[in-house]
Amino acid sequence: MYITADCHVHSNTSPDASDTIDAMCQTAIEKGLKHICFTNHHEIFPGTPTPSDFLLDFDAYDQEIEAARDKYSDKIDILKGVEFGSPHRHPREYEELLTKDLDMIIASLHFLPLDYGIHYLWCNQEEFADYFLQCYYEEMEKLTEVRGFQVLAHMDWPKIGLPNFYKVKKINPAIFKNLIKNGAVPEINTSALNKGCKDFHPAPALLNQYQEAGGKNLTVGSDAHCYRDIATHFEKAADFADYYNFKIGYFKKKKFIALND
């Protein structure tokens, strides 16, 4: 299989990304992609005012997407998505997001409410490793009970800074049952391989568990925040999907379309 859709990409409309939609489309075309989905951040910060640059300007975003479609539609299918953090914690904002004209919503988990405060996940909490791990997947179960999103992002994202996540071989099966029931899928997120991890997000053992629960479909995303990282390590994702007979695809108008059908 050759993966021709990068379903998790950030342009400089996201505060942590550096390149324009136009520049990223040019690179995607050069790399032979047929579909690219921009999933810029729309993140509500819990317990503190949200920095304005984490709240997506949808009008400006729409205009930039449409300009790129006008320019490149004969070469690549440009899809419009959003990465929204913890939809179960922000129901009002999430309901508003569901009214937007989007091809795909990625739900992610970047903050974790703990007994000793709300913590951003990419930080070293080794002194609370087991407790942190337990709370993370309890929170993820609550997140997956929410309907309306299409993809669950980087399911073991904290392993970038918390090596104890490598020992996880199985998580609460309710997480995968919720995804399947609600028509959502996990992603293979290859960005972990750019950050010193030995495998992608999530670890293959978790995707095996998803398959055991009846899951068949996946998206693949580079989580690129600059043009250089688009479609990186997709060959490893393709090898995994082929070996385990997963269907790789993308979402358009919130409907899953398999690449290999």
Side-chain angles (χ1 to χ4, degrees):
M1 179 194 304
Y2 180 67
I3 297 173
T4 57
D6 193 335
C7 296
H8 190 157
V9 170
H10 298 273
S11 76
N12 63 354
T13 306
S14 282
D16 54 352
S18 60
D19 294 313
T20 64
I21 285 175
D22 187 278
M24 298 189 86
C25 286
Q26 289 182 42
T27 298
I29 293 165
E30 291 168 3
K31 291 190 174 185
L33 295 184
K34 301 300 182 185
H35 315 273
I36 185 169
C37 187
F38 290 91
T39 54
N40 286 344
H41 289 290
H42 189 55
E43 184 87 32
I44 311 299
F45 280 48
T48 186
T50 300
S52 60
D53 54 357
F54 272 91
L55 298 175
L56 190 57
D57 181 338
F58 284 95
D59 289 338
Y61 189 38
D62 290 348
Q63 290 174 15
E64 196 173 0
I65 289 282
E66 289 305 318
R69 286 172 174 169
D70 289 344
K71 189 173 182 179
Y72 298 114
S73 61
D74 60 332
K75 298 181 177 68
I76 193 167
D77 184 22
I78 301 170
L79 304 169
K80 181 173 60 176
V82 165
E83 181 176 348
F84 187 77
S86 302
H88 61 301
R89 296 281 176 182
H90 309 288
R92 180 178 60 81
E93 292 87 352
Y94 183 56
E95 287 298 321
E96 183 180 352
L97 181 67
L98 292 176
T99 68
K100 304 291 186 183
D101 178 22
L102 297 167
D103 290 294
M104 185 177 81
I105 297 172
I106 293 181
S108 57
L109 188 56
H110 293 133
F111 294 91
L112 190 61
L114 301 173
D115 291 345
Y116 49 92
I118 296 173
H119 282 259
Y120 184 64
L121 290 181
W122 202 350
C123 58
N124 190 342
Q125 296 287 329
E126 281 298 317
E127 63 269 34
F128 306 108
D130 291 337
Y131 170 66
F132 189 92
L133 185 59
Q134 176 186 345
C135 291
Y136 178 76
Y137 285 111
E138 287 176 353
E139 187 74 359
M140 185 169 288
E141 181 183 356
K142 295 173 185 175
L143 186 159
T144 58
E145 291 171 353
V146 174
R147 293 178 177 271
F149 67 86
Q150 286 66 56
V151 177
L152 178 61
H154 39 60
M155 292 179 63
D156 54 4
W157 185 61
K159 74 182 178 186
I160 297 169
L162 295 171
N164 66 303
F165 271 69
Y166 281 112
K167 70 184 180 183
V168 177
K169 303 302 179 187
K170 187 166 285 192
I171 61 176
N172 187 337
I175 292 171
F176 297 115
K177 291 177 182 177
N178 289 341
L179 288 176
I180 294 167
K181 178 180 67 175
N182 294 334
V185 305
E187 66 170 357
I188 293 179
N189 185 310
T190 60
S191 67
L193 295 168
N194 293 332
K195 297 171 182 173
C197 295
K198 62 185 179 183
D199 51 35
F200 42 69
H201 296 301
L206 298 188
L207 291 177
N208 291 342
Q209 189 183 354
Y210 165 63
Q211 189 173 59
E212 290 169 0
K216 300 176 181 178
N217 300 332
L218 297 170
T219 61
V220 177
S222 64
D223 207 348
H225 286 65
C226 66
Y227 71 86
R228 290 182 299 274
D229 289 340
I230 289 173
T232 52
H233 306 293
F234 272 24
E235 68 285 351
K236 293 184 179 180
D239 288 345
F240 176 85
D242 282 340
Y243 186 81
Y244 287 99
N245 201 30
F246 279 108
K247 282 191 175 182
I248 299 296
Y250 60 97
F251 282 89
K252 188 163 188 172
K253 300 299 180 184
K254 300 182 179 178
K255 301 294 184 184
F256 183 83
I257 301 171
L259 289 173
N260 52 351
D261 277 356

